[in-house]
Amino acid sequence: VVKLDVVRTVTPGTLTEDHLLEDGVATHLAACVTDKKGAGIAWVELSTGTFQVCEVPLDQLADELDRIDPSEVLIPEGDRSVETNPWEGFVPRSSAQTWRPDHRFGWDGSRQKLLEFFGVGSLAGFGLEDGPDGVPHERLAVGAAGALIDYLQETQLAALPHIRRIARFQREGVMHLDRATRQSLELVATHRGDGTPLLGVLDETKPPMGR
């Protein structure tokens, strides 16, 4: 008798198989939570373990998600109670939306989830605990990160040792280009399906490791 069981749930943001991934294109799973002032975003590339977070004003959320270009976005299901989807103008059309329980995005529970996952006593080493008494300064980002880890543990049903740390994405001191500007400059995609964007030109290197 062979015991059958679910060993992994595959979703758009958790693909790791080479034959399912587009060459040279990162597959990001993102989580996002908002309040009246801003938004917290966490995103991971499961194949490499790269895990980043940031907080942005609400008026910059759409541009930031467009920059990350996630294959799947986790969002609080409490927003489903309204007649129209409030995330319609924020999440890229190419991204799958996955609704998750609101409490998964709470900063307190998310902080504890992250402490247990990384085996640490504080998030200060990741730059996420700047407030008094160890309270995270960027609560929304911590909430999104905890929700993301919770989802990965639920779907992957296995340890994730290659995700070793969170990197706080530094938005200071860099130039930010909105969605319209990036599209007009054809940096990563062209207006025509058969064209080559700037990144594609730069990637024509010898040897291929120069990409």
Side-chain angles (χ1 to χ4, degrees), residues 28 43-52 162-165 167:
H28 289 135
W43 64 100
V44 65
E45 185 180 3
L46 193 56
S47 61
T48 64
T50 303
F51 188 12
Q52 300 182 80
H162 62 302
I163 302 179
R164 298 186 177 91
R165 67 186 313 275

Side-chain angles (χ1 to χ4, degrees), residues 13 24 123 134 200 208:
L123 298 178

Side-chain angles (χ1 to χ4, degrees), residues 1-5:
V1 178
V2 178
K3 182 180 179 181
L4 301 179
D5 200 359

Side-chain angles (χ1 to χ4, degrees), residues 20-205:
L20 296 177
L21 299 175
E22 185 177 350
D23 185 36
V25 179
T27 298
H28 289 135
L29 169 68
C32 187
V33 61
T34 64
D35 62 12
K36 295 180 180 180
K37 297 181 180 179
I41 311 172
W43 64 100
V44 65
E45 185 180 3
L46 193 56
S47 61
T48 64
T50 303
F51 188 12
Q52 300 182 80
V53 297
C54 73
E55 286 194 2
V56 297
L58 279 178
D59 61 356
Q60 297 179 22
L61 175 56
D63 288 330
E64 194 65 18
L65 285 176
D66 186 72
R67 181 190 67 79
I68 298 169
D69 191 22
S71 298
E72 181 179 7
V73 183
L74 312 179
I75 47 183
E77 66 180 5
D79 294 333
R80 302 178 74 176
S81 61
V82 297
E83 294 182 0
T84 58
N85 183 356
W87 292 90
E88 193 69 34
F90 294 118
V91 177
R93 294 183 178 181
S94 59
S95 303
Q97 297 182 24
T98 300
W99 301 93
R100 299 289 290 168
D102 290 11
H103 69 271
R104 304 291 190 188
F105 295 83
W107 79 266
D108 195 13
S110 290
R111 176 180 180 273
Q112 189 60 39
K113 170 73 70 174
L114 294 172
L115 294 178
E116 294 173 359
F117 179 81
F118 290 109
V120 296
S122 168
L123 298 178
F126 304 126
L128 293 173
E129 212 150 68
D130 302 326
D133 303 323
V135 176
H137 179 65
E138 295 177 313
R139 294 191 182 192
L140 292 175
V142 170
L148 193 152
I149 289 297
D150 178 78
Y151 184 70
L152 286 178
Q153 291 178 328
E154 182 179 307
T155 58
Q156 304 308 293
L157 302 176
L160 302 163
H162 62 302
I163 302 179
R164 298 186 177 91
R165 67 186 313 275
I166 309 174
R168 180 175 172 272
F169 182 73
Q170 302 291 338
R171 291 173 50 83
E172 302 81 8
V174 298
M175 179 185 292
H176 298 280
L177 302 178
D178 59 29
R179 181 187 307 179
T181 300
R182 289 195 300 271
Q183 291 176 343
S184 296
L185 294 176
E186 297 190 338
L187 299 178
V188 296
T190 65
H191 301 300
R192 307 176 310 279
D194 58 347
T196 302
L198 177 60
L199 183 59
V201 174
L202 296 177
D203 275 348
E204 294 296 330
T205 62

